[in-house]
Amino acid sequence: MCPSSVPFPSAGAADAALAARHEIGYDGRRYLYREYRYEHFADALSYARLDQARPGFQPDAAFVARWDAPWQPGPAQQEQMAHWGIGFAAGYYLLDGYRYEHLADALSYARQRAAPVPAAHFA
């Protein structure tokens, strides 16, 4: 499995409270601030602080605090991933140094590049 530079979010109540104070949510894959999506909490927080410091900023009355658990592939996806040598970390499917948002894309590449990777490859 390839390492990923995208960290899982902290599950700490302090981070979730800080996020909610700045109208940032987490959907299990990305940090959400208004119409923007971020891989890193620090980036979302920096932009939210910048945006909220602007004169005339109006809080979003429709904002609902959201801090979901990190998303993980299910058993059927994990079986396909193991068959083709696809890893998973921080919300991305990993194969040959590339990361994919969707399993279908990683599977497509895996099928084009070669036959399935033997199970001993991961032992």
Side-chain angles (χ1 to χ4, degrees):
M1 182 184 313
C2 302
S4 174
S5 62
V6 182
F8 279 113
S10 169
D15 287 341
L18 177 62
R21 239 185 352 267
H22 290 283
E23 299 181 4
I24 298 169
Y26 181 73
D27 68 1
R29 290 188 95 140
R30 287 172 202 79
Y31 300 95
L32 319 169
Y33 176 71
R34 305 227 166 171
E35 69 270 17
Y36 304 105
R37 305 294 176 258
Y38 298 89
E39 289 183 351
H40 301 281
F41 178 64
D43 294 339
L45 184 59
S46 292
Y47 185 73
R49 285 177 169 160
L50 177 71
D51 188 40
Q52 293 167 6
R54 291 185 176 132
F57 172 79
Q58 294 293 318
D60 181 359
F63 174 76
V64 175
R66 174 180 181 178
W67 196 263
D68 297 349
W71 184 87
Q72 294 291 315
Q77 287 184 322
Q78 290 176 13
E79 186 176 318
Q80 287 181 305
M81 291 163 53
H83 181 74
W84 291 98
I86 299 169
F88 184 83
Y92 291 96
Y93 299 95
L94 308 170
L95 180 64
D96 292 347
Y98 297 99
R99 66 182 196 176
Y100 301 87
E101 289 190 22
H102 305 284
L103 178 58
D105 296 333
L107 287 170
S108 177
Y109 175 72
R111 289 179 182 125
Q112 290 175 22
R113 73 161 163 87
V117 176
H121 178 75
F122 294 99

